[in-house]
Amino acid sequence: QVQLVESGGGPVQTGGSLKLSCVMSTDGVTPCGMAWYRQAPGKEREWVSSISPDDTIVYQDSVRGRFTISQDTRKNTVYLQMDSLDTEDTAVYYCAAMLREKAVCRTKYWGRGTQVSVSS
């Protein structure tokens, strides 16, 4: 079992910054990766960024250069630094833990999300 708790969301103006945190609790399970997703009002949930245990990082094109994912394995915490925020970034942001199933690393556990609201 994996439990994920996000924090750090809130209101911010266009061009501002926020840093999201996700604290993970496990019963010995070791994720093959961690990810951030987001869901804007009226839209489907979309993947934002992922980080592997060896710090291999991938970003969605729309956030590359503005968002930075990182992790502190000693604290079991993953972060998402978001800079140059735009109204299009308004969404509920979810942390996810990925587990390996049959040699494939898949998103398996979700946090409850934290709201990010960007206003102009």
Side-chain angles (χ1 to χ4, degrees):
Q1 276 285 39
V2 175
Q3 293 184 327
L4 305 167
V5 179
E6 305 97 332
S7 63
V12 64
Q13 291 192 323
T14 302
S17 299
L18 283 175
K19 186 173 185 177
L20 307 183
S21 299
C22 171
V23 179
M24 178 179 66
S25 301
T26 78
D27 58 0
V29 172
T30 301
C32 54
M34 300 294 294
W36 286 96
Y37 287 74
R38 67 185 180 184
Q39 187 167 17
K43 296 187 177 180
E44 294 186 354
R45 190 174 300 189
E46 64 175 2
W47 167 81
V48 174
S49 180
S50 300
I51 186 168
S52 70
D54 65 357
D55 286 334
T56 299
I57 290 171
V58 221
Y59 295 104
Q60 182 199 104
D61 286 347
S62 69
V63 307
R64 188 177 295 112
R66 300 188 299 122
F67 290 10
T68 304
I69 191 171
S70 62
Q71 61 188 347
D72 185 337
T73 55
R74 295 169 301 174
K75 296 181 179 180
N76 278 350
T77 302
V78 178
Y79 305 97
L80 187 67
Q81 175 68 45
M82 304 186 296
D83 299 317
S84 301
L85 283 163
D86 184 78
T87 54
E88 297 291 315
D89 297 315
T90 294
V92 177
Y93 283 72
Y94 296 91
C95 177
M98 295 183 282
L99 297 186
R100 195 169 298 280
E101 294 181 340
K102 297 182 180 179
V104 178
C105 190
R106 301 180 185 277
T107 297
K108 183 72 174 179
Y109 295 98
W110 297 90
R112 292 190 172 186
T114 184
Q115 176 72 49
V116 171
S117 299
V118 186
S119 60
S120 58

